Every structure is written in C-alpha cells, then in structure tokens.
C-alpha cells in the first residue's frame, strides 16, 4: 500500500494543534497555583492535586452546568421534533409551497446570528422572556434548524420511493411512515443533527450574553467568564472549570461520532 505522506503529516500537525492545548489544560488544572507559576507549563505536574476541581465545584459551577444541560437538551429536542417532520414533508410533498418554504428556510444559512441580535432581543423582551433559559433556547434552536433540516432532507432523499409507497400500500398513514420507516432509516442523520445542535447550544455565547442578566440564568460559557473574575489570576482553577465544562459534550461527541460522517454526506452521492 502506498503511503500518503502529506496526509500523514497533516494529521500529525492537526494532532499536535488539538492535543497540545488539551494536555496543557488538563495538566495545569492538576497543579497548585504555586506549582503552575514556578514550573514549565508543558511539564507533567510533580504533585497532582484535585483542589482546583473542589474549588470550582463549590463555586456555583453546578448551577451553570445544570442551566447548560437544560438549554442543550431543550434545543436538541426542538430541532429534532421540528426538523424530522419538516424533512419528511419536503422529500415527499409535491406542493410548491412546501418547496418554497424549504428554500426560504435555507436562506437562514446565510444569516449570521450577530446580524439579527437586536431584532431577537426586542422580540424576546416583547414576549417577556428576557433573562430566562427560554430566551436562549428559542433563538439557538431557530438558527440550528436550517442546517438540521438540510442534513435530514439529504438523508431522506436516499430512501427509495418504493419503500414509502410500500408502507402506504400496507395502510400506514403519514405518522406510521414517519414512525416505522423514516426514523429508523434516518438514524445516522438524526444523530448527526443531535451532535451538531448540542455542540452549538453547549458552546453558545452570544444569546446568553445578550438575553440573560441574572446569575441564576447563566450558562457555562458566561459562568467561566465569572470564574475568571472570581479567581483573578488563579489560572489552574479556571482551567479546571474549563475541563469540567468540556467533558459532557465530549461524551456526546464520542457516542455519536461514528454516525457523523454518514449523516453529513447523506444525499451527496446523487
């Protein structure tokens, strides 16, 4: 087998760029403050300690984590519950209105969230949702829905129309086809949507920053900001908070990663 040297070199560079910061983050979080300031940042900790993690866990981190979980789960649920039926309708419906609606939905891919933040802020305040988790969930789901619908639509276009027709002949209605045909066959695409949406919701910063104010509605991205002020120059404690915030979404990625490629590339072979 011929070796692909450029690809191997690129993979090695990527590995260094990704693993290097992760190693620094975890190693620094296991150092004492004095050890961090006196030794090399790339050197393994001489005396690893979990004191930084204890400091973070007793400093309000649990509330930020819970808010992040609520926002992420609710956003993913909304996107999947709306995206799957929408993709099914787009693939199966001959209505021009549905296809035009799909075209209009895809226009959302070209609109950055920053460009709409003032209208979103005014709409949220008019709905009396300001400074609530709902204020974060709704716009986050809205901006994730175009990509999710596109991925799901491409996946469902791969399903032979004979299968849809066979289900209909067997007496299945639209809900039955959706339940027993679409959901099983679109599983890779759904997992892809779940992982993509969860990543965006988990790491969201703009909407939480603009649409929330009180500490009780803070999510992790803003909570880490508060930790930075609370601990001053205590970098090991801040990196311990960052490490803890990364773990849940990293687990989600590990669970769904084998479906990502097939879900993202579905439909591109046609």
């Amino acid at each position: 087998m011929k070796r692909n040297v450029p690809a191997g070199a690129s993979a090695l560079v990527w590995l260094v760029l990704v693993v290097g910061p992760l190693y620094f983050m975890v190693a620094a979080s296991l150092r004492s403050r004095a050890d961090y300031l006196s030794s090399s940042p790339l050197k393994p900790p001489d005396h690893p300690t979990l004191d930084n993690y204890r400091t973070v866990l007793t400093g309000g981190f649990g509330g930020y984590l819970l808010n992040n979980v609520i926002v992420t789960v609710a956003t993913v649920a909304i996107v999947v519950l709306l995206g799957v039926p929408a993709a099914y309708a787009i693939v199966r419906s001959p209505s021009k209105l549905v296809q035009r609606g799909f075209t209009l939905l895809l226009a959302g891919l070209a609109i950055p969230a920053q460009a709409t933040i003032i209208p979103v802020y005014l709409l949220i305040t008019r709905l009396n949702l300001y400074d609530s988790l709902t204020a974060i969930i709704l716009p986050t789901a809205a901006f994730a829905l175009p990509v999710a619908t596109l991925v799901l639509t491409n996946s469902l276009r791969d399903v032979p129309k004979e299968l849809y027709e066979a289900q209909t002949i067997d007496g299945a209605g639209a809900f039955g086809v959706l339940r027993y045909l679409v959901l099983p066959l679109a599983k890779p695409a759904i997992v892809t949507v779940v992982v993509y949406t969860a990543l965006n919701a988990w790491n969201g910063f703009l909407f939480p920053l603009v649409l929330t104010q009180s500490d009780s509605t803070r999510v992790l991205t803003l909570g880490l900001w508060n930790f930075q002020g609370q601990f001053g120059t205590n970098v090991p404690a801040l990196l311990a908070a960052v490490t803890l915030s990364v773990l849940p979404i990293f687990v989600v990625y590990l669970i769904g990663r084998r479906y990502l490629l097939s879900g993202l590339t579905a439909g591109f072979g046609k």
Side-chain angles (χ1 to χ4, degrees), residues 130 136 204-213 218-219 222 225:
Y130 180 74
I136 305 174
F205 183 80
L206 179 63
F207 293 132
L209 176 65
V210 176
L211 302 176
T212 62
Q213 186 176 23
R218 290 293 190 192
V219 294
L222 294 181
W225 194 3

Side-chain angles (χ1 to χ4, degrees), residues 166 175 208 237 244 254:
F175 180 78
L244 289 174
L254 288 180

Side-chain angles (χ1 to χ4, degrees), residues 33 37 51-61 64 223-242 244:
R33 194 170 173 182
L37 295 174
D51 288 346
N52 296 314
Y53 290 91
R54 295 191 189 95
T55 303
V56 169
L57 292 174
T58 56
F61 181 85
Y64 303 140
L224 295 176
W225 194 3
N226 290 344
F227 274 115
Q228 188 173 6
Q230 180 177 346
F231 295 114
T233 57
N234 190 354
V235 178
L238 178 61
L239 292 179
V242 174
L244 289 174

Side-chain angles (χ1 to χ4, degrees), residues 29-204:
S29 70
L30 296 173
R31 299 175 187 274
S32 65
R33 194 170 173 182
D35 186 23
Y36 172 78
L37 295 174
S38 61
S39 61
S40 171
L42 297 179
K43 181 183 175 184
D46 294 328
H47 305 287
T49 176
L50 295 177
D51 288 346
N52 296 314
Y53 290 91
R54 295 191 189 95
T55 303
V56 169
L57 292 174
T58 56
F61 181 85
Y64 303 140
L65 178 64
L66 178 61
N67 287 341
N68 233 50
V69 171
I70 294 173
V71 168
T72 301
V73 171
T75 302
V76 169
I78 292 174
V79 170
V80 172
L81 289 176
L82 294 179
V84 173
Y88 173 58
I90 292 165
V91 172
R92 294 297 299 160
S93 175
S95 171
K96 291 183 178 179
L97 183 62
V98 173
Q99 302 307 320
R100 287 173 182 170
F102 182 45
T103 303
L104 184 63
L105 183 66
L106 292 182
L109 295 173
I111 302 175
Q114 292 83 351
T116 64
I117 191 60
I118 292 178
V120 168
Y121 171 79
L122 295 175
L123 184 61
I124 289 295
T125 53
R126 291 290 180 88
L127 293 173
N128 294 322
L129 295 175
Y130 180 74
D131 200 23
S132 68
L133 295 182
T134 307
I136 305 174
I137 293 168
L138 293 181
T140 304
F143 277 91
L145 201 54
V147 175
T149 307
L150 178 63
V151 171
L152 292 166
T153 301
N154 285 334
S155 175
L156 294 184
R157 289 193 197 282
D158 280 346
V159 179
K161 65 178 182 180
E162 289 78 8
L163 291 180
Y164 293 113
E165 294 171 354
Q167 287 282 320
T168 304
I169 293 173
D170 288 342
F175 180 78
V177 175
L178 189 66
R179 168 69 178 83
Y180 297 106
L181 179 66
V182 171
L183 289 181
L185 294 180
K187 184 179 178 181
I190 293 174
V191 174
T192 300
V193 167
V194 168
V195 174
Y196 169 80
T197 306
L199 284 171
N200 281 337
W202 190 268
N203 297 318

